[in-house]
DNA sequence: TCCCTGCGGGAAAGGGCTTTCTCTGCGGTA
DNA sequence: TACCGCAGAGAAAGCCCTTTCCCGCAGGGA
């Protein structure tokens, strides 16, 4: 690899001058020397060693991002928002997938810190895990102590600024909608219970039911992976245990798609026999058939805000921005079938007649 | 930020010793000193400066990857394959999204070279653009000349090893299937014509029709962006121009999903009135309704192979691995409706009666 | 007893770049 | 003419690590 001094030698100038030409320094250089340097760069196909540069100018310009998985639409959208702002400001993003592994999350914080990022953004649910939360907080605090900026998206329990989708309100929206449609036997296809996102959404849902004097018994909840297959499987378990269900809330859209797959496999008509409500409003939600009723979160905006917070002026105290959820009515939700309402027992098909309550 | 010498000073040892402890060097260090160093590291929350490390050990270990967009399922799957191999070998991946902007692609090659990556992988279609292709090739050659390894996925026109999905055979598969189902009025929803992927797939399709003595007239092809909205829009244009179409081939699954949306909006039954065949077999293909008939490409495997090539032994000459495509029959394809076959003119609805040929 | 060996540790030389500081030579003012 | 100031170029001091080379010392063989 050609180095700067190779270029300088070839151009017959000092490395200092070469550097100035290459970086468009404010220090003036005569046109003749400039030309010579540029020519040498072209001839040698010179590319500056980024590590050496980064080391020399102790600049911190890149921003580190830790997400569950960029190719998961939820995070893809958030990342889009992050990128938009970062690009505007000429910042490079270093994106890391934690695949929801707490240890990996911790490692990535170190890694990114080691890479001298100017700021750190963690997106994705927090964990109900005291020890881990404390550890992560220590690391983040240490990073902030050295001038690093931190923002989290969708997790409240950490130091630094936070952008929070209103998961609880979203859960409430879904619950209220189904209640108003007359559903009483509502099952929930939930993500891992260790995630705060799961419990927050569940809490909102529970509250909506409570307002109608109902409750959400634990046996009507199935926890599984937060993805399509998890949703399919949880739905199957739910239906096996309680065939009288008239509605299913999936705690994210991927799971909802899995739920629809299971319902289709069992020839249950959506929404005539069973309604389905998702969560997140990922782009694909409108393209499944029937189009998915879901709770929309302003994902791109969440990314934009987080990045703005972290690149903007420092605040005396951590800021929290809550972004609200919105119900998007499409075609997977409809009135509860009269004859199926509140099929309280759980024997096979037969008992769909007893309209309870 | 604490530095290595801070740690060393605090532990009362030399930086050399501190470094050895921290990196688990082969050189032995007495337990007592080791303890002291480790304690100092913990107290100072020391994290080595990655740039300094990378500069000091001139090790090239990371691998650069340039894709269109990681959150596009096509590339997400490929990336999964790349990751798998890279992780196994303890390599870090630097992933860059070019968003199909040739200039950005060129920039990223430089950027990654500047970051001293051990290898470079470019995934995604090539361009029909001589000037660009030449430029990129020069850059890649310069990189290879300094010991860098290069592999491309899905583009043939560059130096370095190549992993090629058999786009042409895939197009042929789709075309033959539709011919066998009796379709004669076949429209194509294509990606940008500047992409070699588009033209390769189209060529295969054309060949399949030619084998049946048919041809694919240019007016039955609509070029648009390689995404859902592009597919929806192209389908609309296609249908406007030629309402007698009984089948649509979309040149990737995202476009196929857009096509399904347009068909649904126009109340055209799939596959009864119109068949649809996609391309790629992204995960979502099985979850749309009707489930998408498509041409499967071994995306993950493509990633695995490319990374293996690039991290494996160097070959005297560039290698090319061609991976074959496979037709996946699902529910969007069916026999051509008898009365709609080969509606050759293009006036409005009325002429669906003339069953030609 | 002397020399050699080997081990644990430190000094110091990079690695490639940026940037401050220094130096030279020129034009302009007193 | 003598001096000042400044523009343009280079020398050199870092930036933070890794790693080679070297040194001192203790133990073992002759």
């Amino acid at each position: 690899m050609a180095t700067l001094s190779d270029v300088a030698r070839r151009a017959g100038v000092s490395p200092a001058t070469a550097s100035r030409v290459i970086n468009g320094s404010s220090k003036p250089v005569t046109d003749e020397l400039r030309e010579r340097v540029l020519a040498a760069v072209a001839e040698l196909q010179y590319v500056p060693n980024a590590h050496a540069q980064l080391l020399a100018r102790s600049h911190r310009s890149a921003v580190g991002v830790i997400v569950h998985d960029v190719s998961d639409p939820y995070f893809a959208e958030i990342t889009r928002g992050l990128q938009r702002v970062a690009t505007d400001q000429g910042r490079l993003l270093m994106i890391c997938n934690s695949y929801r592994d707490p240890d990996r999350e911790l490692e990535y914080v170190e890694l990114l810190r080691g890479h001298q990022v100017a700021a750190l953004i963690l997106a994705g649910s927090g964990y109900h895990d005291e020890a881990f939360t404390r550890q992560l907080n220590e690391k983040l605090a240490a990073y902030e102590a050295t001038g690093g900026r931190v923002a989290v998206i969708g997790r409240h329990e950490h130091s630094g600024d936070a952008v929070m989708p209103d998961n609880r309100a979203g859960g409430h929206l879904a619950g209220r909608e189904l209640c108003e449609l007359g559903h009483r036997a509502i099952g929930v296809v939930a993500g891992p219970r260790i995630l705060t996102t799961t419990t927050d959404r569940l809490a909102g849902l529970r509250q909506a039911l409570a307002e109608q004097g109902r409750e959400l018994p634990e046996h009507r909840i199935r926890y599984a992976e937060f993805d399509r297959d998890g949703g399919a499987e949880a739905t199957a378990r739910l239906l096996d245990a309680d065939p009288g269900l008239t509605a299913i809330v999936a705690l994210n859209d991927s799971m909802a798609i899995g739920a629809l797959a299971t319902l289709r496999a069992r020839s249950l008509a959506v929404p005539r026999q069973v309604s389905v409500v998702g969560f997140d409003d990922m782009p694909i939600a409108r393209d499944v058939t029937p189009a998915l009723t879901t709770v929309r979160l302003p994902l791109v905006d969440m990314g934009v805000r987080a990045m703005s917070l972290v690149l903007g002026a420092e605040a005396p105290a951590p800021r929290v921005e809550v972004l609200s959820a919105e119900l998007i009515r499409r075609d997977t939700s409809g009135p509860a079938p009269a004859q199926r309402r509140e099929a309280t027992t759980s024997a096979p098909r037969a008992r769909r007649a007893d309209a309870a309550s």
Side-chain angles (χ1 to χ4, degrees), chain A residues 235-253:
Chain A
T235 303
R237 281 190 284 142
L238 217 43
L239 252 21
D240 288 344
D242 197 342
L245 252 27
T246 67
I248 290 175
V249 178
L251 259 31
N252 79 10
D253 282 353

Side-chain angles (χ1 to χ4, degrees), chain A residues 162-317:
Chain A
V163 172
M164 293 294 306
D166 200 339
N167 282 318
R168 199 180 162 112
H172 188 271
L173 244 30
R176 193 178 57 189
E177 174 75 359
L178 289 175
C179 285
E180 286 175 358
L181 288 168
H183 293 276
R184 325 216 69 177
I186 301 175
V188 181
V189 171
R193 55 201 321 164
I194 194 158
L195 299 183
T196 56
T197 300
T198 299
T199 50
D200 290 348
R201 294 180 178 181
L202 223 34
L205 197 56
R206 211 165 241 136
Q207 185 193 334
L209 300 203
E211 284 166 9
Q212 307 291 319
R214 315 263 187 64
E215 50 181 32
L216 180 60
E218 198 60 29
H219 71 268
R220 287 236 172 102
I221 306 178
R222 286 295 178 283
Y223 301 90
E225 284 307 300
F226 239 153
D227 57 22
R228 187 257 187 213
D229 291 344
E233 176 228 332
T235 303
R237 281 190 284 142
L238 217 43
L239 252 21
D240 288 344
D242 197 342
L245 252 27
T246 67
I248 290 175
V249 178
L251 259 31
N252 79 10
D253 282 353
S254 298
M255 296 194 94
I257 288 173
L260 290 176
T262 296
L263 291 170
R264 199 179 320 123
R266 300 197 174 193
S267 306
L268 288 167
V270 175
R272 197 170 51 75
Q273 291 173 281
V274 180
S275 286
V276 174
V277 177
F279 212 113
D280 291 346
D281 195 26
M282 343 180 308
I284 194 71
R286 60 179 176 157
D287 284 318
V288 295
T289 329
L292 187 64
T293 292
T294 188
V295 175
R296 173 180 295 167
L297 255 28
L299 299 173
V300 174
D301 202 35
M302 282 157 57
V304 168
R305 304 261 190 137
M307 188 59 78
S308 306
L309 282 175
V310 111
L311 294 183
E314 196 154 1

